[in-house]
Amino acid sequence: MAQKPDTRKFFENLSGAGKSIAVLTSGGDAQGMNAAVRAVVRMGIYVGAKVYFIHEGYQGMVDGGDNIKEATWESVSSMLQVGGTVIGSARCKEFRSHEGRLKAAHNLVQRSITNLCVIGGDGSLTGANLFREEWSGLLDELVQQGLIDKEAACSNSELHIVGMVGSIDNDFCGTDMTIGTDSALHRIIEVVDAIMTTAQSHQRTFVLEVMGRHCGYLALVSALACGADWVFIPEMPPEDGWEDSMCQKLSESRSRGSRLNIIIVAEGAIDRKGLPITSDFVKDLVVRCLGFDTRVTILGHVQRGGTPSAFDRILASRMGVEAVLALLEASATTPACVVSLVGNQAVRLPLMECVQMTQEVQKAMDEKKFEEAVRLRGRYFLTSSTFDMIKYRINLPTYNSFNVAVLNVGAPAAGMNAAVRSAVRVGITEGHKMFAVSDGFEGFYKGHIKEIKWGDVGGWTGQGGSLLGTKRTLPGKHLEKIAEQIKIHNINALLVIGGFEAYVGLLELSAARDKYNEFCVPMVMVPATVSNNIPGSDLSIGSDTALNAITDTCDRIKQSASGTKRRVFIIETMGGYCGYLATVGGLAAGADTVYIYEEPFDIRDLQANVEHLTQKMKTSIQRGIVLRNENSNENFTTDFIYQLYTEEGRGVFDCRKNILGHMQQGGAPSPFDRNFGTKIAAKAIQWITRTLKESYKGGRVFANSEDTACLLGMRRRALVFQPVSQLRDETDFVHRIPKEQWWLKLRPLMKILAKYKTSYDVSDSGQLEHVTRVRPKETNTSAAI
C-alpha cells in the first residue's frame, strides 16, 4: 500500500534572516495588546529576524529617534499579564499627511524595516494600507531629496503589512473576536455581578452604560451574560413605542417576584429616528412611569483597564505568531492582510476587504438599514434573537406540547447554570413543558424529577457550579428504572449537560433503545467540563473559567517569584489525562515547560528542562513556571518533579510547588462560558423541537435512528450536531480523551515563546481567504446562535 505524501509544511523552512520587523500599537488601547507584541517579538527573533518596537504608535514612526528601538527576548518578559500597551499608543494627525508618511518611510528605511505589524482598529489599519500603497512613491521622493541612495531604495522596495485588530468594541468585520473584547466583558460582568447584590438588597433598577459608540457588541453580550432585562444597541434600535413595552416588561418581572432590574445601554444607542437613547433618559422614564428606585452607572474607561483575560492572551499570542508567519510568506503580490479568528481557527483576510465591510456597516446604520447592519456585523451579532427568547416569553405557534427533561451529569462546571436557564426558557418559549432532573442519572432513576418554570431559573446565569445538582453515576445499571421514570413523566426528549460521563451515559441510553422503547426519544448532549476532554467538540462549557483561574494564580505566583528572584514554581492543574488546561493555561501564563500525558516525557526531558531554566536564571528573567497536568505520568509525580528540580537547581534556583485543585471548578462563570452555555443550549433545544416534530407519528414520539442521539459541539468554525455512536471511534475510553485534539498544535507555539527549539507544522495556519457576507436566509434563529 502506497504511503500518503506528507503535505505538512514546517516553519523551519521560513527564515527571517536578514529581515527586519517592526511592531506598533495604534488607536485606543486594549487588554491583550502586550501579549500580541510579545508574540511578534519572540517569534520574529526565533526565526532570525531583527525586531523593533515603535513606541507611541504612528507618532513614534514619524518622530523616529529613540521611538524606534530594537527589541530583545528579555524586553518583552512580564508583559503578558499587563493591560493596555507598554509600547504606548497615540493618535497621530501628522501621519495622515503626505509629509508625515514621508518622514515615517525615511525612519523605517534607515533601519531597513520593510515588515510592519500593526495592532489597532480599522483607522490604524487603513492608514497602514495607504502607507503601503504609497511606499514606492515615498522612496522615490526620498531618493530625489537625497535622504537615501538608490541602493537603499532598491533593497527596501517592498513594504509588507500584517494587521491584528485590537479593539474592546469587537467592531471589525472579518473576525469573531478582536483583542481586548473578552477582557472588557470581564470588567463589565464583574461590575454587574457586584451591582446585582446591592440592587437586590434595595429592590432597585440599575441602568448601566457600557462602551460602544458605533458597535453594540459589548452591550448585547453582557446583557446575555448577566440576564439583563433590556438592552439598547446602535445596530438594533427598538421599535417605536418601546417606552411602554419596556416598562411593561420591567413591571411583569417585578410582579413575578424579581427584586431588581438591569438595563444595559451602549453609549451609541439610538432610536428608529436616529436620536440618542441615553442612560439618563432611560432612568427618568423608569422613575416617571413605574416609580422604581433607579440608579445610573457609567462604566467608562474601567472597561479598557485591568489584566487581560486568558482568552485574550491566547488569542493575541496565536495572532502574533500568525502575523510573523504571514510576513515571512508575503510577496510583492500579496495584499496587506489582517490575521483574525473564525470559530476556533486562525485565518488571514485582505485588510481592505475587512475595512470596507466595517465601513458598510456604518453606512447601513446612517441610512437606517438596521437589519442590513446586523447582517454585515456577522454571525456573532445575530445572537440577539436568543436574548429575546430567554428574556421574554414569545408565544410561538405550537403544534404539540412536548415534555423535555434537562439534567447535569459529571463534575460541576461553571456555565452549566447558564445553559440550564437558556434551555428552560427557550423550551418554554417553543411551547414545551420543561422538567428538571436533580443529581444526574442517579436522580433520574430515583425519580427526582419535577417541572421547572420560567421564574425558577431567574438569576442563574452568574451562578457557579450546578444548581440542579450533578453526579458521576452512569445509567447503565439503572436502565429499567430510568425507562420507568420516562414513562411516568411522559418525557419526550432529553437534554444532557455535562462531561465525559454525560457522553458515555448518552451512548448507553441510545444503545438500549432496542430493549426499551422509552429511550426512542430525541436526546442531545451539550459538553460542560473544565477538562475539555469530550470528543466531537473543540470547547466545553467551564474550561474558559478554569483557564482564567489558572492564569490568575500563575500571575500571582510570578509576582511572588519576581520579588524573591531565582525561584521556580511547579504547579499542578486538573484535567484527568487531558492536557488542555495545562497546555493552554501555560500559553496564557507564559510557562517555561508544561508536562502532559499526550506528549510522553522521560528523565532526559526533565534534565533538559532544568538546564534550560538554569540558563534562564543567568538573564534578567530570574523566575520560572512549570505546569504539570495531574495524570501526565504515574511515576513522574508533582512531588518527584519538585524534588528533582530542587536538587538539580541547588545553588542556582529554589523551588516551590502549588496544587490548584478544585478552585479551578469554582467561582462565577466567565463571560465566555455564560454566553457559550446560553447559545449552545438554545441551539440544542431548537434541534429538539425540530426532531420532535419529525419523529411525532400516530400520536406518539418515536426516534431510534442514530442521528436522534447527538452531541452538539464546536468544530473548528461551527456548532455541529454529531451522532454519539459515530464519535465512539474517535474516543480513547480508557483515558477519557478524544484520540485527536486540536490544541496539541498550540504546544510548539508555547515552546517557541519559552525559547525552546522545536518543530512547528504551519500547514494548518491561516491561509488568505476572502471576507464572506452573511446571507439573509441565515438570519433565522437556529442559524444565528
Side-chain angles (χ1 to χ4, degrees):
M1 186 173 147
Q3 269 193 324
K4 275 196 336 192
D6 189 351
T7 56
R8 291 179 302 166
K9 181 173 71 171
F10 292 94
F11 91 113
E12 293 88 313
N13 305 327
L14 298 169
S15 171
K19 294 187 177 181
S20 293
I21 299 170
V23 58
L24 69 114
T25 53
S26 175
D29 63 308
Q31 309 97 316
M33 279 183 163
N34 291 323
V37 170
R38 172 181 176 267
V40 170
V41 168
R42 291 198 167 174
M43 188 64 168
I45 291 170
Y46 189 89
V47 296
K50 265 189 175 183
V51 187
Y52 291 86
F53 291 134
I54 298 179
H55 291 272
E56 312 307 335
Y58 286 118
Q59 190 66 54
M61 200 195 294
V62 172
D63 294 344
D66 286 344
N67 287 305
I68 306 175
K69 283 183 184 167
E70 189 172 350
T72 65
W73 193 275
E74 285 80 19
S75 62
V76 291
S77 174
S78 301
M79 277 173 71
L80 200 53
Q81 64 268 33
V82 180
T85 164
V86 297
I87 59 172
S89 182
R91 312 277 177 194
C92 180
K93 280 186 182 174
E94 210 175 340
F95 189 75
R96 292 177 192 167
S97 69
H98 184 78
E99 292 72 25
R101 293 192 290 277
L102 191 67
K103 282 185 192 173
H106 185 216
N107 288 327
L108 294 188
V109 171
Q110 282 181 314
R111 296 163 178 82
S112 301
I113 297 169
T114 54
N115 296 282
L116 208 52
C117 185
V118 180
I119 307 163
D122 61 335
S124 307
L125 300 180
T126 306
N129 192 64
L130 176 63
F131 191 42
R132 179 179 186 264
E133 286 172 353
E134 291 181 350
W135 184 253
S136 57
L138 293 170
L139 294 194
D140 290 343
E141 276 187 64
L142 290 170
V143 170
Q144 285 165 17
Q145 291 178 20
L147 293 168
I148 61 170
D149 55 31
K150 283 187 177 176
E151 193 181 326
C154 189
S155 59
N156 295 286
S157 60
E158 290 174 19
L159 179 67
H160 302 300
I161 283 173
V162 172
M164 282 183 272
V165 190
S167 162
I168 67 166
D169 291 332
N170 203 29
D171 55 354
F172 194 80
C173 294
T175 185
D176 286 350
M177 286 288 264
T178 56
I179 295 167
T181 305
D182 188 68
S183 301
L185 284 170
H186 273 257
R187 296 299 92 78
I188 295 168
I189 294 305
E190 283 163 15
V191 171
V192 177
D193 284 354
I195 275 175
M196 283 173 108
T197 56
T198 182
Q200 195 130 22
S201 304
H202 297 277
Q203 296 195 54
R204 277 190 182 138
T205 295
F206 268 89
V207 181
L208 263 84
E209 184 182 299
V210 301
M211 282 185 167
R213 197 165 298 142
H214 305 291
C215 178
Y217 185 89
L218 287 178
L220 179 60
V221 176
S222 56
L224 265 173
C226 72
D229 292 274
W230 202 273
V231 61
F232 295 95
I233 61 172
E235 296 88 343
M236 297 179 72
E239 297 294 335
D240 290 343
W242 62 268
E243 296 91 339
D244 292 338
S245 302
M246 185 187 78
C247 289
Q248 186 187 339
K249 297 292 183 191
L250 296 181
S251 184
E252 283 173 11
S253 162
R254 288 290 175 99
S255 65
R256 286 197 301 266
S258 173
R259 290 176 58 85
L260 76 156
N261 301 110
I262 300 285
I263 300 165
I264 295 186
V265 183
E267 61 181 326
I270 52 173
D271 64 16
R272 291 264 153 189
K273 298 180 186 70
L275 299 170
I277 297 174
T278 65
S279 45
D280 283 330
F281 177 83
V282 174
K283 175 203 163 181
D284 293 342
L285 176 71
V286 174
V287 171
R288 188 174 69 250
C289 295
L290 298 173
F292 291 173
D293 184 0
T294 307
R295 300 283 193 275
V296 171
T297 300
I298 298 172
L299 297 191
H301 285 76
V302 159
Q303 294 156 88
R304 286 194 191 279
T307 59
S309 65
F311 183 96
D312 272 330
R313 299 182 198 199
I314 296 153
L315 171 68
S317 298
R318 287 177 71 184
M319 299 298 96
V321 167
E322 187 67 42
V324 172
L325 293 177
L327 287 170
L328 293 180
E329 292 174 2
S331 66
T333 56
T334 313
C337 75
V338 173
V339 176
S340 73
L341 181 81
V342 178
N344 200 26
Q345 235 193 331
V347 295
R348 299 175 195 171
L349 298 166
L351 188 152
M352 287 317 292
E353 283 186 23
C354 297
V355 169
Q356 279 155 11
M357 192 183 281
T358 304
Q359 289 168 348
E360 277 180 43
V361 175
Q362 192 56 50
K363 188 180 171 208
M365 286 165 65
D366 292 342
E367 293 172 0
K368 298 187 173 56
K369 296 177 181 172
F370 299 112
E371 287 174 6
E372 175 70 6
V374 170
R375 201 155 50 237
L376 288 166
R377 278 276 184 234
R379 60 189 188 142
Y380 272 72
F381 233 82
L382 298 168
T383 56
S384 53
S385 48
T386 318
F387 177 81
D388 290 338
M389 289 180 80
I390 61 174
K391 205 61 230 176
Y392 314 122
R393 297 183 64 159
I394 305 164
N395 295 316
L396 299 179
T398 54
Y399 305 99
N400 295 290
S401 179
F402 294 108
N403 294 349
V404 179
V406 182
L407 64 156
N408 291 341
V409 177
M416 273 182 165
N417 297 321
V420 172
R421 170 181 177 267
S422 175
V424 167
R425 291 194 167 179
V426 172
I428 291 169
T429 295
E430 301 216 331
H432 306 311
K433 195 181 269 191
M434 301 301 294
F435 287 83
V437 181
S438 300
D439 302 329
F441 289 118
E442 190 173 311
F444 211 146
Y445 81 78
K446 288 178 178 174
H448 298 163
I449 304 164
K450 63 175 184 181
E451 188 180 351
I452 186 165
K453 301 202 169 161
W454 187 275
D456 296 337
V457 290
W460 279 33
T461 323
Q463 301 282 326
S466 164
L467 292 170
L468 280 187
T470 182
K471 293 275 178 76
R472 292 180 181 270
T473 312
L474 291 171
K477 294 177 183 174
H478 312 283
L479 291 171
E480 193 173 336
K481 287 182 178 175
I482 292 173
E484 194 181 311
Q485 291 298 331
I486 289 177
K487 197 171 185 178
I488 291 167
H489 293 90
N490 189 26
I491 301 297
N492 307 121
L494 275 184
L495 170 60
V496 184
I497 301 165
F500 203 83
E501 291 87 357
Y503 163 64
V504 175
L506 209 56
L507 278 171
E508 290 180 358
L509 292 182
S510 57
R513 279 173 163 178
D514 293 344
K515 195 173 177 185
Y516 300 98
N517 271 349
E518 288 82 1
F519 299 139
C520 295
V521 295
M523 298 187 272
V524 63
M525 177 202 160
V526 166
T529 166
V530 298
S531 304
N532 197 32
N533 62 333
I534 309 297
S537 191
D538 292 349
L539 295 171
S540 299
I541 298 165
S543 57
D544 183 73
T545 304
L547 281 176
N548 278 291
I550 292 166
T551 308
D552 290 348
T553 306
C554 288
D555 284 354
R556 290 174 193 180
I557 283 170
K558 278 164 90 172
Q559 207 166 25
S560 146
S562 64
T564 47
K565 304 281 188 211
R566 299 180 183 275
R567 182 163 284 177
V568 174
F569 279 85
I570 318 291
I571 301 168
E572 183 186 296
T573 67
M574 289 174 89
Y577 285 96
C578 180
Y580 175 81
L581 286 181
T583 296
V584 183
L587 182 60
D592 295 277
T593 311
V594 176
Y595 299 115
I596 62 168
Y597 165 77
E598 293 91 341
E599 194 174 281
F601 56 97
D602 58 24
I603 196 71
R604 287 178 292 277
D605 297 312
L606 291 168
Q607 185 63 42
N609 298 150
V610 172
E611 284 170 13
H612 188 269
L613 278 167
T614 303
Q615 291 304 310
K616 186 181 178 183
M617 295 299 159
K618 293 176 184 173
T619 71
S620 58
I621 319 168
Q622 296 181 349
R623 55 172 167 64
I625 287 200
V626 174
L627 265 58
R628 178 188 174 275
N629 169 239
E630 58 185 350
N631 289 352
S632 54
N633 188 298
E634 62 181 335
N635 294 316
F636 298 141
T637 62
T638 303
D639 277 338
F640 177 92
I641 292 173
Y642 163 68
Q643 286 164 2
L644 176 80
Y645 271 67
T646 301
E647 182 58 36
E648 293 296 315
R650 198 180 295 279
V652 182
F653 58 79
D654 65 346
C655 278
R656 296 287 185 276
K657 69 174 174 182
N658 201 311
I659 295 171
L660 300 186
H662 285 77
M663 64 171 283
Q664 293 158 84
Q665 281 181 345
S670 67
F672 183 94
D673 279 331
R674 296 181 195 201
N675 284 299
F676 188 47
T678 299
K679 287 187 289 190
I680 200 168
K683 186 155 189 172
I685 290 291
Q686 287 163 344
W687 175 88
I688 281 175
T689 301
R690 286 197 306 275
T691 313
L692 280 168
K693 285 174 185 173
E694 288 162 10
S695 54
Y696 185 74
K697 292 180 183 76
R700 60 169 291 203
V701 172
F702 187 81
N704 69 343
S705 58
E706 66 172 13
D707 63 352
T708 58
C710 282
L711 179 143
L712 173 56
M714 165 70 83
R715 277 266 164 115
R716 290 168 80 87
R717 300 192 184 191
L719 288 172
V720 287
F721 291 93
Q722 303 140 99
V724 284
S725 56
Q726 291 180 12
L727 294 172
R728 196 186 288 273
D729 292 341
E730 296 180 26
T731 312
D732 174 352
F733 284 98
V734 175
H735 298 102
R736 298 159 54 92
I737 53 173
K739 288 178 181 172
E740 285 189 22
Q741 304 189 83
W742 69 272
W743 52 264
L744 286 168
K745 289 181 179 172
L746 299 180
R747 282 188 66 78
L749 192 129
M750 184 197 70
K751 290 177 184 176
I752 287 164
L753 297 177
K755 214 175 185 177
Y756 280 92
K757 289 285 175 196
T758 187
S759 188
Y760 184 28
D761 177 8
V762 296
S763 44
D764 197 35
S765 69
Q767 304 305 310
L768 191 67
E769 300 181 11
H770 290 282
V771 179
T772 52
R773 283 171 167 69
V774 179
R775 291 173 291 284
K777 68 176 182 183
E778 290 183 3
T779 58
N780 65 70
T781 312
S782 59
I785 296 167

